[in-house]
């Protein structure tokens, strides 16, 4: 209803109702509150609508100030209005706020007109018509809000009519699809649907027509640039005031990112699960929140056993103090990289781990926890320690090797078959007269070898490679300072398939040794030629000597032999003189004749023995096996000494068969038995024993007696020619007997010795080979 001008002659109009009945009716039945006021703002009339609107009955308000209806903060407004009214101005559609009796605030639209006294033409008051616009106002606000929401939504919000024509298009739709509102409004939504999905649209539209709402329908749409995007649609029908469906609103959410995020989340979860590293998350108080499979394996706890417990569970007591430090660093937003520490397994075992810890933040960026990647580095640590140990050992070995090489003045070298490079040590370079630190081909080194030795050196190396054996060769090299000698030893190196991969070896300068060797060889050659000359001389002299000796022997033999005939004649004639003419001679003449006979006899014995010795010494003999048993049985009866009275001889048989010579053996036994009887003790009868003992290949034969014995100082002398203990006449003899025995034993390859005790007896032992 348009506000109307209500004129009133009286300031107390309601008490005096207007004369005009029509106006009266309007006043009473108006939907708008109609209030009259004085120019001071005092209420003078109050219609029923005013009572409904503001809650005051007329008797409570008429005569009171209009300010009662106006919120305090708007009182100034009222003053300005009254001023304008006084100037005769009319105020139309002025929106303001009013307060009801119950305190509620109302939005009102006011139309205020001055009331003019018809007679005086003076402004005497005003009528104020107020309409409640609270609902309109709220609706308007709501629409504005809605528009703002639609505009600021991250989802595309699109409306379309039932023919599928786009009717509205928000900012997010622009962003998601790339069309500006004016490019798409009025066009078919098919522009947004990929051709292969066009058939979906009629189905959606038919569902909408029956009032269905389609929620979170995941499908694909096309952007203006043709790109496809994954979207989630929620489509709701739009109804008009009458409730009939006139279109649809569509909320389109771009879920490509979300879908990517989901894929990433799943992928991450799979990675976490399949990771070999333990991945653990905890909150800021150190309480474990998640626990992957590798963590179960590494620490021995299942997820159920540890989630909700403190991470200190995994720390050995001495490491637990780390945790507050770690938490403090995380709270500061630091990331901890490869922190190496020790953790404890469920079974108490300690393990070396490397931790990488990152803060977990919520969407506002606040640190709320930490994720921890733990890698078991126990083995790695062990390997590391072993590697260091190995390196140290290697270094030591290298140092030892270097020392040995330098002490032995050896240079070392390696040859790599693949590259044909020789790597040579500084000493090797020095030996060859090359600069240090330069690797070279095998061929270039070979060229340094003396041309005469080159082929042999190469052959030795090739043979070594072929046979897999070490090589060791000496050759000359052309050193810048002149020719030098080196010895090179090498060992081939083979790969797993038996292929040659290289060689290594040592080299030594042997020039000095070589020159000494050469000198030595020359000296030896000289010496040998001297020796040969000398030997020649010796041989010549020996031959001469033999000749002379032979001559002398023959001479002495013939002298000795020839001496016996006149000696025997002298002896014979002396004996005949004594026998035939003895009685005619005086005693002195007889005595002289006896002396001649005895001395001739003695000289004959001497000559006989000398002859015997020289026979034994010189004769060429043939040795043969001789059984001593029959031999002695035959010999013993011919030994004159054994025929003497009181003499006994015992042979302790059986005796061995020896390798010997009949005549020599006769000489030996005759002499030893003769002496045993000759040197018997005066006070007891002579008793002689012959014994034999046998060893492998040898026999020792002893002839012992119980005679006068021999003092040890004479043991050697008695075996010499003319060596005797007693020079007197008590014991006849020439002193040659034992010399003959010794010589005979020696010539049969044996040895003789004596043991004796003076006054008790002697024992002569000699050895012979047995058959
Ligand atoms: P001869 O018997 O002619 O003196 P031998 O050469 O046979 O010469 O002996 C040298 C010396 O050895 C003897 O003179 C004697 O003094 C001593 N002799 C040898 N055989 C015995 C023995 N069986 N008992 C003691 N003395 C002995």
């Amino acid at each position: 209803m348009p506000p109307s001008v209500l004129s009133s002659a009286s300031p107390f109009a309601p008490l005096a109702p207007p004369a005009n009945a029509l106006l009266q009716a309007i006043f009473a039945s108006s939907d708008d509150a109609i209030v009259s006021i004085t120019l001071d703002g005092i209420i003078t009339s109050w219609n029923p609508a005013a009572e409904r609107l503001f809650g005051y009955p007329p008797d409570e308000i008429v005569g009171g100030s209009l300010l009662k209806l106006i919120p305090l903060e708007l009182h100034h407004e009222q003053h300005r209005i009254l001023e304008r009214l006084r100037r005769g101005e009319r105020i139309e559609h002025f929106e303001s706020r009013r307060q009801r009796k119950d305190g509620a605030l109302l939005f009102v639209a006011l139309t205020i007109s001055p009331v003019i006294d018809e007679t005086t033409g003076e402004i005497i008051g005003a009528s104020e018509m107020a309409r409640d616009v609270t609902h309109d106002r709220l609706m308007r606000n709501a629409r504005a809000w809605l528009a703002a929401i639609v505009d600021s939504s991250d989802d595309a919000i699109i409306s379309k009519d039932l023919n599928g024509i786009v009717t509205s298009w928000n900012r997010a739709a622009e962003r998601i699809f790339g069309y500006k509102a004016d490019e798409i409004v009025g066009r078919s939504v098919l522009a947004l649907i990929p051709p292969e999905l066009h058939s979906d649209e009629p189905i959606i539209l038919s569902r909408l027509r029956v009032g269905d709402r389609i929620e979170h329908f995941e499908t694909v749409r096309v952007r203006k640039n043709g790109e496809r995007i994954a979207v989630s649609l929620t489509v709701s029908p739009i109804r008009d005031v009458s409730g009939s469906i006139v279109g649809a609103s569509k909320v389109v959410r771009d879920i490509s990112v979300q879908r990517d995020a989901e894929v990433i989340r799943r992928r991450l979860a799979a990675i976490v699960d399949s990771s070999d590293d333990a991945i653990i998350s905890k909150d800021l108080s150190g309480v474990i929140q998640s626990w992957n499979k590798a963590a179960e394996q590494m620490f021995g706890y299942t997820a159920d056993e540890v989630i909700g417990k403190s991470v200190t569970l995994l720390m050995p007591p001495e490491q637990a103090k780390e945790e507050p430090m770690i938490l403090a660093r995380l709270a500061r937003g630091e990331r901890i990289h490869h922190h190496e520490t020790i953790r404890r397994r469920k079974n108490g075992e300690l393990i070396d781990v490397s931790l990488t810890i990152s803060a977990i933040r919520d969407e506002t960026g606040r640190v709320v926890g930490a994720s921890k990647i733990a890698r078991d580095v126990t083995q790695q640590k062990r390997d590391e320690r072993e590697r260091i140990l190995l390196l140290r050992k290697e270094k030591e070995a290298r140092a030892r090797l270097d020392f040995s090489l330098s002490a032995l003045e050896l240079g070392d070298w390696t040859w790599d078959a693949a590259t044909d490079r020789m790597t040579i040590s500084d000493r090797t370079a020095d030996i060859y007269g090359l600069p240090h630190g330069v690797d070279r081909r095998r061929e270039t080194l070979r060229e340094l070898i003396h041309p005469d030795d080159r082929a042999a050196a190469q052959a030795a190396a090739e043979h070594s490679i072929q046979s897999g054996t070490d090589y060791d060769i000496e050759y000359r090299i052309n050193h810048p300072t002149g020719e030098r000698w080196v010895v090179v030893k090498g060992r081939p190196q083979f790969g797993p398939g038996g292929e040659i991969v290289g060689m290594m070896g040592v080299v030594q300068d042997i020039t000095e040794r070589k020159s000494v060797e050469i000198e030595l060889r020359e000296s030896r050659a000289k010496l040998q030629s001297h020796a040969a000359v000398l030997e020649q001389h010796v041989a010549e002299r020996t031959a001469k000597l033999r000749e002379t000796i032979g001559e002398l022997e023959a001479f002495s033999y013939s002298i000795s032999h020839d001496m016996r005939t006149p000696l025997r004649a002298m002896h014979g004639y002396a004996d005949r003189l004594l026998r035939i003419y003895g009685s005619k001679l005086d005693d002195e003449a007889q005595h002289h004749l006896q002396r001649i006979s005895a001395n001739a006899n003695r000289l004959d014995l001497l000559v006989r023995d000398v002859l015997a010795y020289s026979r034994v010494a010189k004769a060429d003999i043939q040795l043969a096996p001789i059984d001593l048993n029959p031999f002695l049985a035959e010999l013993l009866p011919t030994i004159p000494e054994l025929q003497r009275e009181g003499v006994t001889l015992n042979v302790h048989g059986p005796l061995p068969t020896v390798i010997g010579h009949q005549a020599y053996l006769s000489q030996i036994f005759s002499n030893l038995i003769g002496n045993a009887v000759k040197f018997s003790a005066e006070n007891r009868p002579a008793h002689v024993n012959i014994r034999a003992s046998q060893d492998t290949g040898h026999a020792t034969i002893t002839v012992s007696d119980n005679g006068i014995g021999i003092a040890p100082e004479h043991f050697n002398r008695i075996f010499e020619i003319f060596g005797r203990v007693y020079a007197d006449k008590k014991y006849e003899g020439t002193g040659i007997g034992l010399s003959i025995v010794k010589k005979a034993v020696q010539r049969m390859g044996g040895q003789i010795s004596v043991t004796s005790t003076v006054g008790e007896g002697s024992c002569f032992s000699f050895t012979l080979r047995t058959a």
Side-chain angles (χ1 to χ4, degrees):
M1 184 199 275
S4 58
V5 180
L6 203 82
S7 59
S8 168
S10 156
F12 303 106
L15 301 177
N20 189 324
L22 178 66
L23 282 179
Q24 181 89 35
I26 293 168
F27 179 77
S29 63
S30 168
D31 276 340
D32 297 332
I34 303 171
V35 181
S36 355
I37 51 170
T38 65
L39 284 181
D40 301 325
I42 302 297
I43 298 168
T44 55
S45 74
W46 188 258
N47 77 339
E51 185 178 340
R52 278 198 304 278
L53 188 61
F54 296 112
Y56 293 100
D59 52 339
E60 265 180 47
I61 195 90
V62 173
S65 170
L66 187 66
L67 288 175
K68 216 173 179 178
L69 304 176
I70 301 173
L72 204 61
E73 69 272 16
L74 296 178
H75 280 187
H76 64 280
E77 200 181 272
Q78 180 62 15
H79 297 306
R80 273 210 311 276
I81 291 171
L82 289 174
E83 243 166 60
R84 288 176 65 188
L85 284 171
R86 281 188 204 107
R87 285 200 298 271
E89 286 178 30
R90 181 182 151 93
I91 297 153
E92 275 181 69
H93 303 303
F94 170 65
E95 285 201 4
S96 185
R97 273 171 297 158
R98 289 293 178 261
Q99 194 157 21
R100 281 173 55 92
K101 185 184 176 189
D102 59 14
L105 281 175
L106 299 167
F107 284 100
V108 287
L110 300 173
T111 298
I112 310 163
S113 317
V115 177
I116 299 161
D117 187 311
E118 282 169 4
T119 48
T120 62
E122 253 176 73
I123 297 164
I124 53 166
S127 92
E128 183 176 300
M129 230 159 94
R131 178 177 294 173
D132 181 1
V133 294
T134 310
H135 179 72
D136 289 3
R137 195 53 189 265
L138 286 177
M139 283 303 285
R140 228 171 38 230
N141 276 352
R143 264 199 309 279
W145 275 102
L146 215 61
I149 289 168
V150 167
D151 233 29
S152 64
S153 166
D154 277 341
D155 297 334
I157 301 176
I158 304 164
S159 60
K160 60 180 179 186
D161 64 17
L162 285 181
N163 298 316
I165 301 299
V166 177
T167 52
S168 80
W169 189 257
N170 76 341
R171 260 186 240 258
E174 288 186 358
R175 203 187 60 243
I176 291 172
F177 291 102
Y179 292 102
K180 294 265 173 230
D182 54 5
E183 288 177 306
I184 191 80
V185 172
R187 283 179 62 189
S188 168
V189 284
L190 289 178
L192 310 175
I193 302 174
E196 68 273 15
L197 297 178
H198 277 184
S199 51
D200 287 357
E201 186 58 12
I203 301 167
I204 294 175
L205 288 176
S206 64
R207 283 183 61 185
L208 279 173
R209 277 192 199 101
V210 296
D212 274 358
R213 190 177 143 91
I214 299 160
E215 277 185 73
H216 306 304
F217 171 59
E218 295 199 355
T219 182
V220 176
R221 289 291 176 262
V222 192
R223 305 189 67 215
K224 187 181 173 186
N225 62 9
E227 217 175 86
R228 300 200 168 204
I229 43 169
V231 294
S232 164
L233 302 181
T234 295
V235 190
S236 323
I238 300 176
R239 293 163 198 274
D240 67 5
V241 211
S242 67
S244 49
I245 293 162
V246 292
S249 88
K250 215 186 257 190
V251 179
V252 183
R253 176 161 295 174
D254 179 353
I255 56 168
S256 341
V257 175
Q258 200 177 315
R259 205 176 260 172
D260 289 351
E262 175 61 17
V263 169
I264 288 168
R265 198 191 64 74
R266 284 212 201 108
R267 211 174 280 158
L268 271 176
I271 290 170
V272 166
D273 235 30
S274 63
S275 165
D276 279 343
D277 295 334
I279 301 177
I280 303 163
S281 64
K282 62 179 179 185
D283 66 13
L284 277 186
S285 52
V287 173
I288 296 171
Q289 306 291 324
S290 77
W291 187 256
N292 75 340
K293 285 200 185 121
E296 289 190 0
Q297 259 172 14
M298 193 176 297
F299 293 100
Y301 291 104
T302 63
D304 290 348
E305 285 174 311
V306 288
I307 289 180
K309 303 240 172 82
S310 168
V311 283
T312 51
L313 184 70
L314 311 173
M315 299 179 176
E318 62 275 17
Q319 239 72 39
K321 60 181 186 300
E322 274 182 10
E323 184 59 10
M325 256 146 53
I326 292 175
L327 289 174
R329 288 182 61 185
L330 285 173
R332 287 199 300 272
E334 283 179 32
R335 191 175 141 92
I336 298 163
H337 272 289
H338 305 303
H339 170 57
E340 295 210 343
T341 181
I342 295 170
R343 288 291 175 264
R344 189 175 50 188
R345 290 174 51 96
K346 188 181 177 188
N347 64 8
E349 218 174 86
L350 296 181
I351 47 175
D352 289 306
V353 292
S354 162
L355 303 179
T356 294
I357 310 175
S358 332
I360 300 176
R361 294 162 191 278
D362 64 7
E363 34 319 345
T364 66
R366 204 162 51 90
V367 175
V368 292
S371 85
K372 202 185 268 190
I373 299 180
R375 175 161 295 175
D376 184 348
V377 292
T378 314
Q379 186 60 38
Q380 202 173 311
K381 275 266 162 104
R382 204 173 294 148
D383 290 352
E384 177 81 348
R385 280 194 289 269
E386 265 170 29
R387 206 175 56 79
I388 289 170
L389 213 72
L390 219 68
L391 267 177
R392 195 181 304 146
K393 274 192 187 151
E394 227 173 74
K395 227 166 122 187
E396 272 172 22
R398 182 69 220 179
R400 258 205 309 275
L401 185 69
D402 278 348
F403 176 74
S404 310
L405 290 174
S406 78
L408 294 169
E409 295 183 332
L410 291 173
D412 59 322
W413 53 265
T414 55
W415 168 66
D416 181 40
T419 58
D420 191 30
R421 285 276 135 191
M422 297 280 304
T423 305
I424 60 174
S425 70
D426 290 352
R427 194 170 302 103
T428 304
D430 290 343
I431 291 173
Y432 281 92
L434 295 167
H436 288 188
V438 184
D439 291 353
R440 39 196 87 229
R441 292 180 57 240
R442 195 151 64 135
E443 201 47 48
T444 28
L445 273 168
R446 207 168 267 157
E447 278 159 15
L448 297 173
I449 302 175
H450 191 285
D452 293 350
D453 296 348
R454 212 171 281 164
Q458 188 161 353
E462 293 312 320
H463 176 259
S464 165
I465 291 170
Q466 295 301 320
S467 62
T469 53
D470 291 356
Y471 82 89
D472 181 348
I473 185 164
E474 293 177 1
Y475 53 72
R476 286 162 292 173
I477 52 168
N478 295 322
H479 191 273
T481 60
E483 185 182 291
R484 297 195 75 81
W485 274 94
V486 294
V487 58
V488 182
K489 297 183 190 215
R491 176 169 294 177
Q493 309 285 306
F494 298 97
E499 74 284 4
I500 181 82
V501 293
M503 272 192 135
M504 60 177 196
V506 289
V507 57
Q508 189 177 22
D509 185 319
I510 52 162
T511 312
E512 272 169 36
R513 193 194 85 195
K514 212 65 194 179
S515 65
V516 170
E517 249 177 44
I518 291 167
E519 262 172 38
L520 208 67
R521 218 175 13 244
E522 285 169 359
S523 315
R524 199 177 293 144
K526 266 186 207 157
L527 214 64
Q528 261 165 5
S529 78
H530 284 317
V533 171
L534 216 61
E535 236 163 63
Q536 178 69 20
H537 282 318
V538 169
E540 284 168 11
R541 295 237 172 106
T542 311
K544 255 187 203 156
L545 219 56
R546 278 224 183 88
E547 208 175 298
T548 314
I549 289 169
E551 281 167 8
L552 273 175
E553 274 176 349
F555 175 66
S556 70
Y557 184 81
S558 67
I559 285 183
S560 309
H561 188 266
D562 293 352
M563 262 162 59
R564 292 194 71 189
T565 316
L567 265 174
R568 277 210 206 95
M570 278 166 71
H571 184 244
Y573 284 112
D575 269 3
R576 276 182 76 179
L577 264 178
L578 273 171
R579 218 171 43 244
I580 301 166
Y581 302 103
S583 52
K584 294 173 190 162
L585 293 174
D586 62 17
D587 285 353
E588 201 183 351
Q590 277 187 35
H591 178 71
H592 287 319
L593 273 176
Q594 274 164 358
R595 292 285 297 271
I596 290 168
S597 168
N599 275 300
N601 191 37
R602 192 171 145 70
L603 192 60
D604 184 41
L605 275 176
L606 198 63
V607 170
R608 190 196 65 197
D609 281 356
V610 169
L611 276 174
Y613 179 80
S614 64
R615 258 199 309 273
V616 170
K618 134 180 147 352
D620 286 331
I621 49 159
Q622 287 287 315
L623 298 182
I626 296 167
D627 184 349
L628 288 178
N629 299 294
F631 173 78
L632 277 183
E634 223 173 277
L635 177 72
L636 294 177
T638 68
I639 298 174
E641 284 83 353
L642 287 179
Q643 316 312 320
R644 295 220 316 241
E645 199 155 323
V647 173
T648 55
L649 178 127
N650 272 335
V651 177
H652 301 263
L655 300 173
T657 298
V658 297
I659 306 294
H661 185 264
Q662 292 260 4
Y664 287 11
L665 285 170
S666 300
Q667 284 283 0
I668 292 166
F669 282 107
S670 305
N671 270 295
L672 290 179
I673 293 167
N675 281 347
V677 175
K678 184 161 68 176
F679 298 104
S680 59
E682 279 172 3
N683 53 353
R684 55 181 182 263
H687 192 65
V688 185
N689 285 297
I690 297 175
R691 291 186 175 82
S693 67
Q694 245 181 293
D695 203 352
T696 39
H698 286 281
T700 302
I701 294 131
T702 60
V703 178
S704 57
D705 61 56
N706 59 342
I708 58 168
I710 310 157
E713 63 265 28
H714 303 305
F715 284 177
N716 283 329
R717 207 157 64 86
I718 56 175
F719 291 105
E720 290 167 6
I721 292 181
F722 308 126
R724 305 191 68 207
V725 177
Y726 309 101
D728 53 32
K729 297 202 179 106
K730 188 170 179 191
Y731 302 101
E732 251 189 19
T734 59
I736 295 175
L738 285 179
S739 322
I740 296 168
V741 171
K742 186 178 175 185
K743 188 55 113 190
V745 169
Q746 282 176 344
R747 295 221 53 196
M748 289 188 292
Q751 273 167 355
I752 186 159
S753 63
V754 64
T755 56
S756 179
T757 308
V758 173
E760 285 183 17
S762 309
C763 176
F764 287 84
S765 309
F766 62 94
T767 58
L768 287 173
R769 279 183 287 134
T770 49

